[in-house]
Amino acid sequence: IISLAIKIDAFGAPNGSESKKVYFIDTEGNTRLIAKLSPDLVRNRPVFHACTTLTVSADGKTLLLDCEIGNAWYIVTADIKTGETKVL
């Protein structure tokens, strides 16, 4: 059994240095950082949802995140292997 979990860091990090993160959590509770939302995207705005419905691509290589940041919604892809994110 494999599970993915979203960890959202506390708001108000200094200078936007800490962005919102996506972690993999295995069945034994071990965590591994998969990706983080870019500070350029977050821009010190509150992240209300990093993902409402986590979607994994058919090939298992990419996550689709529907993010509510401030008063806007964004669709972001995250490469599971490299952590690279891209706003669509």
Side-chain angles (χ1 to χ4, degrees):
I1 295 174
I2 296 174
S3 63
L4 289 170
I6 302 295
K7 175 187 177 230
I8 300 177
D9 297 315
F11 300 151
N15 302 321
S17 61
E18 187 65 35
S19 41
K20 310 315 176 207
K21 299 175 182 178
V22 178
Y23 287 88
F24 171 80
I25 302 174
D26 68 19
T27 55
E28 296 177 2
N30 301 309
T31 61
R32 178 177 56 88
L33 178 66
I34 293 178
K36 58 184 175 179
L37 298 177
S38 163
D40 293 336
L41 173 62
V42 176
R43 297 191 317 255
N44 288 325
R45 297 175 293 170
V47 176
F48 297 109
H49 300 281
C51 181
T52 54
T53 303
L54 186 61
T55 304
V56 181
S57 63
D59 61 7
K61 295 180 179 181
T62 307
L63 298 176
L64 184 73
L65 309 172
D66 52 325
C67 307
E68 182 181 10
I69 303 171
N71 63 351
W73 284 86
Y74 299 90
I75 302 298
V76 178
T77 59
D79 185 294
I80 293 173
K81 186 175 183 180
T82 66
E84 179 184 356
T85 59
K86 181 166 63 168
V87 178
L88 300 180

